[in-house]
Amino acid sequence: MWQANIFTSFPDAFPGSLGVSLIGKALKRNEWCLNIVDLKKFPAHNDRIDSYPYGGGVGMLLSPLTFEMAFNSLNSSSENERIFSENEQKFKRTQKFKRIYFSPRGRQLNQKDLADISQSAGLTVLCGRYEGVDQRILDYYKFEEVSIGDFVLLGGEVAAMAIIEGCVRLLPGIVGDQQSVQNDSFQENLLEHDQYTKPSVFKNIAVPEILLSGNHQKIRSFQNDLSKMITMKKRPDLWAKYVQDNMKLI
Ligand code: SAM
């Protein structure tokens, strides 16, 4: 079963949006597993999990001692024993999970990352709060710093939900029609074409006639051309990748 381990000081934020709709139903059916580790259960300094940065500066940083205790608990807490006993290999696999620390200074996450992670056994995520975390946590435990955009949030929990939702929807059987996942934006470096539903005319704007023709071959070709035009216009960087990949195929 695909598993997400999340280290957070705000466990109540979960499952949040991961508990609703298709992904929430799949969680209840044990089609994937969410393992939340509450950092606040592992205080290191006078009942605190964080401390002031050396050298001065505002804010607090997560202590490496707290993280060490929380990480080690993955193998010993009763919650985790329950999860790991389902499959004796599970903990060993956890060691191989990709480790991600969410941070505005990280590399920006993309659909290829999600596809790779969804094909692995799972993911371990560290959510920062306040000023962030002691650098030695990232260095010792080999966390990759990843960002969800050039803006600053209060914490990594929303980012964790975003990556997990993106990975779980790629697991087989989660989205009823697998074709719809394959047609989404970023597959083959193209953005999705425009889409329409009833009524066929809204505020004097008509749906493109070809979509009402019933000629599926022509419709596919129209949508494919539209995808290319939209990608060229909105994301020249993606378009360049698409052209490069398709030149390789010629
Ligand atoms: N001091 C940090 C800096 O300047 O880079 C910002 C810390 S931020 C207030 C607190 C936490 O929110 C971060 O440790 C990170 O986990 C999360 N966070 C904030 N913005 C993020 C983003 N764009 N992508 C991913 N995580 C983010």
Side-chain angles (χ1 to χ4, degrees):
M1 194 197 317
W2 192 87
Q3 177 172 332
N5 298 316
I6 303 177
F7 292 93
T8 172
S9 40
F10 290 92
D12 293 351
F14 296 94
S17 61
L18 301 175
V20 302
S21 184
L22 295 178
I23 192 165
K25 285 183 192 158
L27 183 60
K28 284 192 192 103
R29 289 196 300 260
N30 290 324
E31 286 170 10
W32 67 283
C33 164
L34 183 61
N35 184 31
I36 309 291
V37 182
D38 180 359
L39 292 166
K40 285 193 173 135
K41 287 189 178 160
F42 306 95
H45 309 281
N46 302 324
D47 283 346
R48 293 197 63 97
I49 64 168
D50 50 12
S51 196
Y52 298 102
Y54 277 125
V58 286
M60 305 288 269
L61 296 173
L62 180 70
S63 160
L65 298 174
T66 286
F67 184 77
E68 181 187 28
M69 288 186 275
F71 187 82
N72 291 343
S73 79
L74 263 187
N75 201 17
S76 60
S77 79
S78 55
E79 274 167 290
N80 294 304
E81 274 160 19
R82 183 176 58 74
I83 290 159
F84 296 129
S85 66
E86 285 170 15
N87 174 352
E88 284 179 2
Q89 294 302 309
K90 202 55 138 313
F91 184 68
K92 284 184 198 145
R93 285 168 56 198
T94 300
Q95 303 278 22
K96 289 187 196 135
F97 285 9
K98 185 167 181 60
R99 293 183 191 154
I100 285 185
Y101 167 59
F102 282 111
S103 158
R105 68 177 198 180
R107 173 179 73 78
Q108 204 156 315
L109 199 64
N110 61 46
Q111 187 65 17
K112 163 106 178 43
D113 295 322
L114 269 56
D116 291 346
I117 297 167
S118 70
Q119 278 163 28
S120 73
L123 171 70
T124 292
V125 173
L126 171 58
C127 304
R129 277 272 158 181
Y130 312 113
E131 263 312 285
V133 305
D134 185 301
Q135 181 62 34
R136 291 165 294 180
I137 299 175
L138 309 183
D139 295 344
Y140 183 80
Y141 292 96
K142 297 191 170 41
F143 275 92
E144 184 184 359
E145 281 184 85
V146 171
S147 165
I148 58 166
D150 288 345
F151 47 84
V152 181
L153 301 168
L154 282 169
E157 286 74 12
V158 169
M161 285 181 214
I163 189 172
I164 292 167
E165 182 168 318
C167 289
V168 173
R169 74 182 280 282
L170 296 176
L171 299 177
I174 302 292
V175 174
D177 184 354
Q178 207 59 21
Q179 189 71 34
S180 77
V181 171
Q182 272 147 28
N183 288 346
D184 279 334
S185 293
F186 304 116
Q187 297 293 339
E188 296 172 17
N189 292 316
L190 285 181
L191 298 177
E192 191 177 61
H193 50 79
D194 299 342
Q195 301 208 74
Y196 302 87
T197 184
K198 287 177 184 171
S200 59
V201 180
F202 172 70
K203 309 271 188 212
N204 258 342
I205 309 169
V207 167
E209 233 180 281
I210 181 92
L211 298 180
L212 311 176
S213 70
N215 184 329
H216 295 293
Q217 206 177 343
K218 280 192 175 163
I219 291 174
R220 290 294 154 266
S221 152
F222 168 80
Q223 291 175 328
N224 202 258
D225 289 346
L226 199 54
S227 270
K228 290 179 188 166
M229 272 168 48
I230 289 170
T231 311
M232 231 184 287
K233 198 168 144 203
K234 291 187 195 256
R235 289 287 304 271
D237 58 321
L238 265 190
W239 177 247
K241 283 189 198 161
Y242 174 82
V243 172
Q244 203 181 16
D245 286 356
N246 283 275
M247 272 169 58
K248 276 186 222 150
L249 296 176
I250 295 170

